[in-house]
Amino acid sequence: MSPLSRLNPLFHQPVRTRLAVLLWREPQSFSELKSQLGLTDGNLDAHLRKLSAAGYLHSRMVTAGRPHTLYQLSESGTEAFEKYRTTLQLLLE
């Protein structure tokens, strides 16, 4: 199987690749992600839902101060993103 055929289609989309990079290390709020990515509410929500439906995303509500939701890659999301990065590196070598 060629490296191209092994690219994870959920991450091999520009916005979701950038989302994964932002969520890889630390949780971020919807408004932080929206600001960093320059997306509309609906566009960001659609991408978060796709990652969440695949089990790649955790979200948790924070009620201290102004209530907001924090998002972070789940363990399976982190593993899938690592595989995606490795496959990209193979393609670039």
Side-chain angles (χ1 to χ4, degrees):
M1 182 184 310
S2 77
L4 277 175
S5 64
R6 292 187 308 212
L7 284 173
N8 184 324
L10 276 172
F11 289 126
H12 198 64
Q13 195 284 340
V15 171
R16 287 193 293 273
T17 301
R18 293 175 16 212
L19 253 174
V21 168
L22 292 172
L23 296 173
W24 187 28
R25 300 257 186 236
E26 61 186 56
Q28 295 197 43
S29 71
F30 189 92
S31 60
E32 290 170 324
L33 292 168
K34 181 181 164 185
S35 174
Q36 291 177 74
L37 295 170
L39 300 174
T40 64
D41 287 355
N43 196 338
L44 177 56
D45 184 60
H47 289 291
L48 290 173
R49 284 180 189 265
K50 286 186 183 202
L51 291 173
S52 184
Y56 289 174
L57 193 64
H58 282 305
S59 62
R60 66 180 164 95
M61 179 63 93
V62 176
T63 56
R66 185 175 180 196
H68 59 282
T69 303
L70 291 178
Y71 299 90
Q72 186 168 21
L73 288 181
S74 65
E75 185 176 324
S76 64
T78 300
E79 289 173 8
F81 185 62
E82 286 289 347
K83 287 179 185 174
Y84 176 76
R85 283 183 353 116
T86 301
T87 302
L88 280 178
Q89 287 173 326
L90 287 171
L91 288 169
L92 295 172
E93 291 176 355

